[in-house]
Structures are given as structure tokens and as C-alpha cells.
Amino acid sequence: MSRFLVRRILLAVLSLFAVSVFSFLMFFTLPTDPVTAMCPKNCNAERLERVRTDLGLNKPKVEQYTDYMKGIFVGRDLGSAQGGHCPAPCLGYSFTRSERVTDTMARVIPVTLSIVVPAAILWFGLGLGLGMLSAVRRGTVFDRAAIGFALTGASLQIYFVGGLLLSLFVYNLKWLPSPHYVSLFDDPWQWFQAMVLPWIALAFLFCAIYARLTRAQMLETLSEDYIRTARAKGLANRTVHRKHALRATITPLITIFGLDVGAALGGTFITETTFGLNGLGRTTVQAVRDGDLPTVMATVLISATFIIVANIVVDLVYAVIDPRVRLT
């Protein structure tokens, strides 16, 4: 198990290194001058040169990359105009926002985490349960209703579902306040009230998809020979479904779940825009529009980290569910 974990971590480190190299080359070795894109429109030639000097963009590309990675692990000096020394993890300075990128990320990442993590628990739990019940009760009214729910959820978009939820629970019934971010540690109840609608909207879409996938996988598993053998031994249906069928059904779903959670943590732009929340997704899109390269670079690295960490967690869960994975 330890060797399996070490291999996965080493592969993750290499993947992050490759992402950092390619993203740096993409953003900071463009034919156009990156300083012109990062500095506001009112920058004159003197200020452009100062920005280039403060950020070290007049150095060789290899040295620029080394300084950038050094800043992530031990910090770096950004110049007096950018607050001087930037402690680790230093992701650069945004002239568009006039603040360190680390400060921006510290403000927007908790918003995205507050949306995605509870929503992921909802969509996986409800999707798995609904899909299993639909498969076990195949051909019944419940099964047909579950299929209809899955088709409806997969067809609708978050901005449509979110608009309906806002219109019903916020503007008409006035049961909930308008979605806004409140820290879980400051006021848990207000955090719940402010974030419950984004959870429902995001979970509704994914829950429908996971219900369909679970149903199809469960039906396939129930037709396997070892399931027939378990039933022939006189095991109760509940034992067969929970102990044998569920374990085989959940394995491929975990892979999809890890990728979906990692991608969602990398930025839920539509959900954040629909509910007026300023998370990582909206920040990334705005940084692209403004040519804010340090912020874009940081969001790429953070999104890649989320996806890679999610895959490591999936591999560990695999190793627990299926011991054969530990030998690969």
C-alpha cells in the first residue's frame, strides 16, 4: 500500500511540474509583451519598465520560471510598489486588482469550496441511492419516474434551474436570503441559508447523471454469475445488493466522481454567475478578460492541483475497495 501511494504522489508531482512549465511558457513567452497585458491601459513607458523590473520579466525565461517556483515554496521579493517581500506561497502580483494573487485566491477559493463540497456530497449520495433503487425496482412506476427525473436533470442547465430556485424561494416565497458568501466558521446557519440554493442547483444536474450511471452499472452487476451464486446460497436480497452488488457498482462511479469534483473545484463559473457569488470560476474568467496573467497562471495551477489531488484520493479509495489495485 505504501509503495502504491508513493508512486501516485510522485506521478502527481511530475504532473504538476509539467503543468507549471507549459502554463508558464504559454503565458510568459507569448509573442506579445506580457507586461502590456498585465498593466492597466493608463500605464506609460516608465511604469511599464518598472513593472517589468519589479516582476523580473527582463530576466532570462529560465530564471523567471525559477523565481516563480521559488516564490511558491519560499517566497520572493516583488518590489516596493507591490508590497516588498511576498511570503510563500507567492503567486505573483496583479496590477489589475492591485493586490497579491495569493490574497485574491484566499478570498475566492473558500467560496468555491463552499459551493462544490456540499453539492458533491448531495449529488453522489442521492444519485447513487436513486440509481440503485431504480435498478432494484426495474420496470416499476418508481423506476420510470427515476428515469424521467434523470432525463429532465440531464437536459436542464444550471442557470435555468438556478433562476427558478431564486424566483421561488428568494423573490416570491422569501424563505431564503439572496445567495452570498458567509464563512462557515463565522455563522454556520447563515452559511447554510446563503449557500443551499447553489448546492441544490449544482447537485440537481449531477445527481440526475449519476442516477443514470448507477442504474446502468447496477443492472449490469446484478446479471453477473457471482450475484446469482450469492442468491443461490440463500442470501437475502438486501445482503446481495449492499455487500456484493454495491461494491462492484460504486467502483467506476468513484472515478467519474473524482474527475467531476476536481473539475468543479477548478471553477464553477456558471453556478457562481447565476447566484452572484465571486468564486474561483468568475475570478478566472475576469482575469482572462483583463489580461491578468499572474491570476490566470495561479488559477491554472490551483485547478490542476484540485484535479490531481482528487485523482490521488480516488486511487486510495480504489485500493480500499479493490485490493487488486494495490498491486498495479
Side-chain angles (χ1 to χ4, degrees), residues 47 59 65 79 84 91 97 130 224 245 261 270 297 310 318:
R47 188 176 182 186
K59 299 178 181 179
Y65 175 78
L91 298 171
R97 299 175 181 273
L130 187 62
E224 297 289 340
V261 171
I270 297 178
M297 176 82 174
Y318 260 6

Side-chain angles (χ1 to χ4, degrees), residues 58-275:
N58 53 354
K59 299 178 181 179
K61 298 302 180 184
V62 175
E63 189 174 350
Q64 291 182 36
Y65 175 78
T66 303
D67 290 342
Y68 185 86
M69 297 305 295
K70 178 182 176 182
I72 294 177
F73 294 102
V74 298
R76 60 185 292 199
D77 292 323
L78 295 177
S80 58
Q82 291 78 52
H85 181 72
C86 178
C90 181
L91 298 171
Y93 183 87
S94 170
F95 283 89
T96 303
R97 299 175 181 273
S98 299
E99 65 177 356
R100 295 170 181 170
V101 178
T102 307
D103 297 335
T104 303
M105 295 298 106
R107 186 173 61 251
V108 301
I109 288 178
V111 179
T112 300
L113 288 174
S114 294
I115 296 173
V116 175
V117 175
I121 296 173
L122 282 175
W123 85 56
F124 189 78
L126 294 176
L128 183 65
L130 187 62
M132 286 188 62
L133 288 176
S134 180
V136 171
R137 301 180 181 181
R138 182 181 183 182
T140 63
V141 175
F142 179 86
D143 181 31
R144 289 192 289 270
I147 294 175
F149 166 78
L151 291 175
T152 301
S155 302
L156 297 178
Q157 297 296 322
I158 290 179
Y159 52 80
F160 177 78
V161 177
L164 288 178
L165 293 174
L166 288 172
S167 177
L168 179 61
F169 294 104
V170 176
Y171 304 128
N172 291 327
L173 298 178
K174 301 185 185 302
W175 288 354
L176 294 170
S178 298
H180 60 283
Y181 176 70
V182 177
S183 175
L184 170 64
F185 304 102
D186 293 339
D187 191 333
W189 176 242
Q190 190 176 358
W191 171 79
F192 173 83
Q193 287 185 309
M195 303 300 292
V196 65
L197 293 184
W199 298 345
I200 294 174
L202 187 60
F204 177 71
L205 173 64
F206 281 99
C207 174
I209 297 173
Y210 275 70
R212 295 185 65 187
L213 293 174
T214 302
R215 180 182 183 276
Q217 187 66 29
M218 188 72 174
L219 290 175
E220 182 179 352
T221 302
L222 291 176
S223 64
E224 297 289 340
D225 292 338
Y226 71 91
I227 298 295
R228 298 192 187 97
T229 302
R231 285 174 172 168
K233 290 181 178 180
L235 295 179
N237 285 333
R238 179 176 299 179
T239 303
V240 173
H241 295 157
R242 291 184 178 179
K243 187 176 181 180
H244 299 282
L246 176 60
R247 194 169 189 176
T249 300
I250 202 174
T251 304
L253 294 178
I254 290 176
T255 301
I256 303 172
F257 180 68
L259 295 174
D260 286 341
V261 171
L265 288 173
T268 53
F269 170 71
I270 297 178
T271 305
E272 293 168 6
T273 302
T274 301
F275 293 97

